[in-house]
Amino acid sequence: MGLGAWNVYFLAKFFLYWKHYIGFHPLENLAFAAFLLMPIRSATGRLVRQLIALPVGVALLYYDSWLPPVARVLNQAGNVGGFSPTYLVELMGRFFDVRVVAILVLIWAATRILSEYLRIGTLVTTTLVVLLVWETLEKNDATMPTIVAQGNAGTASYANAAPSGAVNAIRSRASLDAVLEDFYRKESTRQVNFTAPQSADAPFDVLFLHICSLSWDDLEFSGLTTHPLFERFDLLFTNFNSAASYSGPATVRLLRATCGQPSHHDLYQEAPQNCYLFQNLDQAGFTPQFALNHDGHFDGFLEVVRDRGRLDATPMPLDGISIEQRSFDGSPIHDDLEVLTHWLDLRQQEQASRVAAYYNTISLHDGNRLVNGPGAGLNSLESYPRRLRKLLNDLEQFLLQVEASGRRMAVVLVPEHGAALRGDRMQISGLREIPSPAITRVPAAVAIIGPDLKREGNPIRIDEPVSYLAISHVIKGMLEKNIFGGESFDPAELVEDLPQTPFVAENEGTVVMRHQGRYHLRLEGEEWMEYSVDNERGSTP
């Protein structure tokens, strides 16, 4: 009676758990070990047990991993089925880490050698029992909260957003649920209302540039944090949280930017009318417009914009615009500068006094491949820095075109989420199931352009934690202060009393929250755990 070759399975999992490549469920693993140790006399019975144990062992390893729940994978099976074979091969290659494989081979070899002298199965079983006892003690400690006084006012959920505020916090895992609920309760009461401009106010346009797959961490990884584009913005947000790591929820969050941050669940429920950004802009006299550099069919993006974001505008046709890339599903991706230039040309021909336009680009999305040029043979990770540099150059050139056009315009840059280029111990490169700070801290910015703009003061860098409500606050300030028609304009005036937002990022079943200076992660059906600072890479310039 013994674990036999399964000793290698458990020892390998101990190593992966120790290095945080996977999680670990002691009770389930101990039960599996007990099943393997159960004495069976007949050879047929032992064979049947091994046939049962193989799929169970694979399923248990998946359960211990940081990969998405099986139910979520099955829900996304239709989307995965649309991936090109080339992209699927690229994804599979990212799971292969030479160093980890080498260590696992060493574990196998050491087990074979030491099994002649040690009872490896006894050591494995004892370790499983110790891990189970340790987990039980930790859970018991978590239910015994310790009150820690940190001041005389304020709330735990807003401690990080208000440095002058003080907090009475309960330091336990159980309390984090209450902190999160308190966060969403307070966010549900916050909103920004736009005032319609006076007839005498100078009209201007607002253009939102919604970029898929760009974070501060991606900029740092690509060596482009100091690109000249960022010097052209009046406001640069270095600690902006997109609060999501997938395009659908990130888009809905931007299009509901006039209200506080809802939970992922509430994001797909009906919201009050005053939460819809473009409906509010429409009521303030702005004609809504919609443009993108892709067909918008993947994952029902067009429907998300129309139905969840209440942006009721027909996408601008892309006829005659160059195709620069092919997406992970083979669909065309058009040149950003050509698309934006075409939109600006059409805008110059229109009579509407004020326009609010939404532009979405997927030029940086994982799995994209360049069609022509020296980068055509690169995979998506290899070509990302090249694609990023071109996009930043295109946006800089477009801002120059707006200046030359003589139009008054506020250009708002808000990436959806990062590309997760580096990956970390919990997620391979490109996987964004866990909305970590390295993925959701994005370079948001606002450029105010106009021929008669009398700017005073320097561009402003905002380092405080903010999210979408801050964007609405800035737009509200532009409307109230009549910045294009006044005697002078100081960018600092637009960020007075700027609403700050503590860091909470969420996907379906997954939450990352910053509380008392640390990040905490809750996976679906799991307890809160500390998200290691080693995984937080998203630095800013």
Side-chain angles (χ1 to χ4, degrees):
M1 183 177 67
L3 290 173
W6 287 101
N7 283 319
V8 178
Y9 170 85
F10 286 107
L11 290 172
K13 289 177 79 172
F14 292 158
F15 164 74
L16 294 173
Y17 175 54
W18 173 52
K19 300 299 290 183
H20 302 290
Y21 287 111
I22 64 172
F24 198 78
H25 299 84
L27 178 61
E28 290 83 347
N29 279 273
L30 183 59
F32 183 47
F35 170 73
L36 295 171
L37 290 170
M38 184 174 59
I40 299 178
R41 293 188 176 184
S42 69
T44 302
R46 291 194 294 272
L47 176 61
V48 170
R49 176 168 61 186
Q50 293 300 324
L51 293 176
I52 296 173
L54 284 172
V56 172
V58 171
L60 185 56
L61 176 60
Y62 188 94
Y63 179 53
D64 284 332
S65 75
W66 306 118
L67 293 171
V70 174
R72 178 165 172 78
V73 173
L74 294 176
N75 288 337
Q76 297 296 318
N79 290 335
V80 176
F83 291 175
S84 67
T86 303
Y87 183 44
L88 288 174
V89 171
E90 181 182 343
L91 287 177
M92 292 301 296
R94 296 180 193 175
F95 283 95
F96 184 82
D97 188 319
V98 176
R99 294 170 300 176
V100 173
V101 172
I103 292 174
L104 294 180
V105 170
L106 290 174
I107 291 174
W108 170 79
T111 303
R112 292 291 301 271
I113 295 171
L114 294 176
S115 62
E116 299 292 329
Y117 310 98
L118 300 172
R119 292 183 178 272
I120 304 295
T122 301
L123 293 175
V124 167
T125 306
T126 302
T127 302
L128 289 171
V129 172
V130 170
L131 289 173
L132 178 60
V133 172
W134 181 267
E135 181 188 61
T136 303
L137 292 174
E138 275 198 323
K139 288 183 177 180
N140 289 338
D141 289 342
T143 60
M144 299 175 63
T146 302
I147 305 299
V148 179
Q150 295 188 322
N152 53 16
T155 61
S157 62
Y158 279 72
N160 299 300
S164 61
V167 184
N168 289 322
I170 299 178
R171 299 179 63 183
S172 72
R173 291 181 179 181
S175 74
L176 292 174
D177 286 333
V179 171
L180 184 62
E181 291 175 5
D182 183 64
F183 167 81
Y184 285 131
R185 180 181 60 82
K186 285 184 168 60
E187 287 297 300
S188 68
T189 65
R190 302 210 293 172
Q191 65 181 57
V192 171
N193 296 314
F194 298 147
T195 56
Q198 301 297 318
S199 58
D201 290 352
F204 64 94
D205 297 335
V206 181
L207 171 62
F208 295 90
L209 302 176
H210 210 198
I211 301 175
C212 179
S213 303
L214 177 61
S215 68
W216 283 116
D217 188 55
D218 300 324
L219 283 165
E220 181 189 21
F221 183 83
S222 304
L224 291 170
T225 54
T226 58
H227 190 280
L229 169 67
F230 298 110
E231 298 176 3
R232 295 192 171 275
F233 290 101
D234 294 277
L235 306 175
L236 180 63
F237 299 93
T238 63
N239 203 2
F240 186 99
N241 176 28
S242 71
S245 57
Y246 288 112
S247 296
T251 300
V252 179
R253 290 190 183 282
L254 173 60
L255 297 180
R256 294 187 184 180
T258 49
C259 284
Q261 181 176 325
S263 67
H264 181 87
H265 173 270
D266 290 348
L267 203 61
Y268 292 90
Q269 311 302 316
E270 287 297 318
Q273 292 297 319
N274 57 359
C275 290
Y276 294 98
L277 175 63
F278 274 79
Q279 285 190 352
N280 281 312
L281 287 169
D282 189 8
Q283 294 173 4
F286 290 82
T287 301
Q289 293 186 355
F290 182 20
L292 62 171
N293 75 333
H294 53 103
D295 59 23
H297 290 144
F298 184 81
D299 207 19
F301 181 78
L302 295 178
E303 289 74 19
V304 169
V305 171
R306 183 188 64 236
D307 300 336
R308 299 295 181 186
R310 301 285 179 87
L311 173 51
D312 189 13
T314 302
M316 183 185 73
L318 299 174
D319 301 334
I321 298 178
S322 301
I323 297 174
E324 289 293 312
Q325 303 178 42
R326 289 285 175 179
S327 180
F328 50 82
D329 61 355
S331 60
I333 301 173
H334 298 267
D335 184 86
D336 286 288
L337 183 57
E338 289 189 32
V339 176
L340 289 169
T341 299
H342 183 51
W343 173 82
L344 183 60
D345 290 341
L346 293 177
R347 178 68 187 104
Q348 292 287 72
Q349 302 169 23
E350 295 170 349
Q351 299 301 315
S353 61
R354 296 177 177 86
V355 161
Y358 171 78
Y359 175 67
N360 183 270
T361 172
I362 62 169
S363 294
L364 302 180
H365 199 287
D366 196 35
N368 290 359
R369 293 210 169 232
L370 296 168
V371 174
N372 300 307
L378 302 176
N379 65 35
S380 61
L381 284 180
E382 294 168 339
S383 69
Y384 184 93
R386 187 186 302 265
R387 290 183 284 131
L388 174 56
R389 184 178 295 277
K390 183 182 185 307
L391 175 61
L392 298 180
N393 290 342
D394 285 353
L395 295 180
E396 184 183 19
Q397 184 61 36
F398 174 70
L399 294 184
L400 292 173
Q401 290 182 4
V402 174
E403 290 179 3
S405 72
R407 298 209 65 84
R408 304 184 190 97
M409 188 178 300
V411 180
V412 183
L413 174 72
V414 186
E416 298 175 0
H417 52 73
L421 289 181
R422 296 184 208 257
D424 56 36
R425 293 177 178 178
M426 301 179 76
Q427 299 187 112
I428 63 168
S429 176
L431 187 62
R432 293 173 277 113
E433 187 65 20
I434 298 174
S436 68
I439 297 174
T440 67
R441 275 189 180 151
V442 298
V446 179
I448 301 173
I449 304 170
D452 49 0
L453 189 64
K454 302 173 183 177
R455 184 181 284 101
E456 294 183 358
N458 297 319
I460 303 298
R461 167 180 167 140
I462 301 95
D463 297 325
E464 290 75 23
V466 297
S467 195
Y468 300 98
L469 204 64
I471 297 296
S472 296
H473 178 87
V474 170
I475 295 173
K476 176 185 178 182
M478 287 189 284
L479 290 171
E480 292 180 345
K481 298 179 187 302
N482 186 25
I483 59 174
F484 291 99
E487 296 182 358
S488 63
F489 156 66
D490 186 348
E493 296 176 352
L494 297 178
V495 293
E496 293 176 354
D497 300 320
L498 189 72
Q500 299 180 26
T501 304
F503 185 95
V504 173
E506 186 176 5
N507 285 328
E508 183 178 355
T510 306
V511 182
V512 177
M513 177 174 64
R514 182 176 173 86
H515 179 57
Q516 295 183 349
R518 299 188 178 189
Y519 291 96
H520 303 271
L521 167 66
R522 188 184 68 187
L523 301 174
E524 187 172 16
E526 302 285 341
E527 298 288 340
W528 287 96
M529 67 185 80
E530 187 172 338
Y531 188 83
S532 173
V533 293
D534 293 338
N535 292 325
E536 185 192 350
R537 303 176 183 266
S539 64
T540 55

